[in-house]
Amino acid sequence: MTNIRHWLVMTILCLSSGIIFLLPFLREVYYIPMQEAFGYNNTQLGIQMSVFGAASLLSYFPGGWIADRYSARKLITGASIAVGLGGFYFSTSPSYEMGILLHAYWGAAISLAFWGAMIKTTRNWAPAEEQGRAFGILEGGRGLSEVITSTAFLAVFAWLGSEVDGLMRVIQLFAVTNILLGVAAWFILEDDEHSAQDVVKKVAMAEVKTVLKMPAVWLISLVVMAAYSAYWGTFYFTPYATDALGLSVVIGGAIGVGKGWLKPLAAIGAGFLADKIGVATSVFGCFLILIFGFTFIIWKHFIQELEKNKEGRMELEDEDDLFKTVISPFCAEIFYCYYGDEDADADDIKEWEIVEDLEENVQSAKFRIPAFMKLVFKWEQEDLERTITLPIKRISPNGIKEEPL
């Protein structure tokens, strides 16, 4: 194999293994748009992904056996095209029940045919002493392909108006990309040196029992389970930003995509670091970072004291509470600006009034909406004061009704 073809193999592995997961994991970036397009609630989305996970779990066991007996070139090509065809069906907005079957189909296609073949090809790509680098390059390349594709398709989604039709076009783009990568894999990858007719040593049940008795096997399983639990937790950054923080679906999707930009650097760095300081030490350090990160999120949650309202959106538990940010301690005063009296007519002369407390609405028990809010920031050791004026969306300047031009 020439040096150019050698790196083309890794390129196709990175591209195909990164993009093939974007269709079943579509909710990582398009969580809210998927709910609006397909009419799914949180539970239904969770069930579909649980079905995908269960199908993947059941497919991993025979997937390794299949990878040892069939050409990786054929398996990767077939799986990529199969996932792409499923994407075209998904873009027709199937029923919830058919969506469940589709996720099971995706789980089987990826884990039964693709995953084992991809791992085997990567192991054969580098010598034994460079396995950490090989898989680091693979994970970095996967992350890079994911984030570049997701960023480009998110831009298309925003350009199309961030509506249901735009989401369907994005799904079709993912489908086409998977099929094209499957075709490219057919021409770039080579058939294994050992054909399917070669005799493969059978694994006896006694050997399986011996492996299951090894403490290292169970420890590695726990590490993988914990890492994947954290990985799945990051999937909810997008809906949290939209529901809890009130950001737009495009900004929420951008957070999901932006998170992916860190993956290539982290994966490649972890691979080289594992070869330098050892796998155990690098894994321990990564878990410390995960513990700190999720603890910070929990701490922020308790500070803001959020709860769900009747519509399922997150809101403040107490109306007197404020969202606390890094600059909150420096906000010394808040003023509310009203334009004229609440019951003033259109012909009445109006004046601006700045007060420290919200005025009550005489027609209801609610507060009157101000025209502006002024936030005053002060520093203890600095004789400095800054005022920020925030316009408030309202019916009219006096908060009552639309005034004539």
Side-chain angles (χ1 to χ4, degrees), residues 50-117:
S50 297
V51 170
F52 173 82
S56 298
L57 177 64
L58 296 176
S59 301
Y60 276 127
F61 295 101
W65 181 87
I66 291 175
D68 284 337
R69 286 159 175 78
Y70 296 96
S71 167
R73 172 179 173 234
K74 296 176 181 177
L75 291 173
I76 292 175
T77 297
S80 298
I81 294 177
V83 170
L85 293 176
F88 278 117
Y89 176 68
F90 197 45
S91 69
T92 63
S93 189
S95 65
Y96 168 64
E97 291 75 15
M98 293 305 298
I100 290 179
L101 293 177
L102 178 61
H103 279 75
Y105 162 80
W106 275 336
I110 294 174
S111 301
L112 187 66
F114 183 87
W115 188 257

Side-chain angles (χ1 to χ4, degrees), residues 3-207:
N3 189 53
I4 295 178
R5 192 178 187 88
H6 181 71
W7 284 102
L8 281 176
V9 169
M10 177 56 71
T11 301
I12 200 65
L13 289 176
C14 292
L15 291 173
S16 59
S17 61
I19 296 174
I20 198 171
F21 283 97
L22 295 181
L23 275 172
F25 291 149
L26 197 67
R27 68 171 187 166
E28 183 178 8
V29 177
Y30 304 96
Y31 193 98
I32 302 301
M34 284 185 66
Q35 288 184 317
E36 296 174 351
F38 297 99
Y40 297 154
N41 56 35
N42 294 328
T43 302
Q44 290 174 325
L45 276 175
I47 290 175
Q48 286 190 346
M49 291 309 300
S50 297
V51 170
F52 173 82
S56 298
L57 177 64
L58 296 176
S59 301
Y60 276 127
F61 295 101
W65 181 87
I66 291 175
D68 284 337
R69 286 159 175 78
Y70 296 96
S71 167
R73 172 179 173 234
K74 296 176 181 177
L75 291 173
I76 292 175
T77 297
S80 298
I81 294 177
V83 170
L85 293 176
F88 278 117
Y89 176 68
F90 197 45
S91 69
T92 63
S93 189
S95 65
Y96 168 64
E97 291 75 15
M98 293 305 298
I100 290 179
L101 293 177
L102 178 61
H103 279 75
Y105 162 80
W106 275 336
I110 294 174
S111 301
L112 187 66
F114 183 87
W115 188 257
M118 182 267 293
I119 295 295
K120 179 181 178 182
T121 305
T122 305
R123 289 183 62 87
N124 294 336
W125 186 82
E129 66 274 10
E130 296 181 2
Q131 289 296 299
R133 299 183 183 183
F135 281 95
I137 293 173
L138 174 69
E139 287 300 314
R142 286 182 62 198
L144 194 60
S145 63
E146 287 178 17
V147 73
I148 291 177
T149 306
S150 296
T151 302
F153 289 177
L154 180 63
V156 173
F157 177 67
W159 178 67
L160 293 174
S162 306
E163 301 294 339
V164 173
D165 184 67
L167 178 63
M168 297 309 170
R169 300 289 85 77
V170 168
I171 293 175
Q172 292 170 0
L173 285 174
F174 279 125
V176 170
T177 305
N178 275 285
I179 293 175
L180 291 178
L181 286 173
V183 174
W186 179 262
F187 291 101
I188 294 176
L189 301 182
E190 296 178 345
D191 286 320
D192 302 334
E193 295 180 1
H194 302 287
S195 65
Q197 289 73 26
D198 289 343
V199 178
V200 180
K201 180 183 177 181
K202 294 184 178 180
V203 179
M205 184 57 63
E207 294 174 306

Side-chain angles (χ1 to χ4, degrees), residues 274-320:
D275 286 341
K276 290 290 184 180
I277 66 175
V279 175
T281 305
S282 57
V283 168
F284 178 75
C286 290
F287 271 105
L288 286 180
I289 296 174
L290 288 175
I291 292 171
F292 172 79
F294 280 98
T295 301
F296 177 76
I297 293 175
I298 295 173
W299 174 71
K300 288 287 292 181
H301 171 78
F302 281 114
I303 283 182
Q304 296 185 353
E305 297 179 348
L306 300 176
E307 64 176 8
K308 285 188 176 181
N309 59 20
K310 294 180 180 179
E311 290 76 27
R313 297 273 181 170
M314 302 299 291
E315 64 179 10
L316 290 171
E317 185 176 0
D318 190 337
E319 291 184 358
D320 294 331

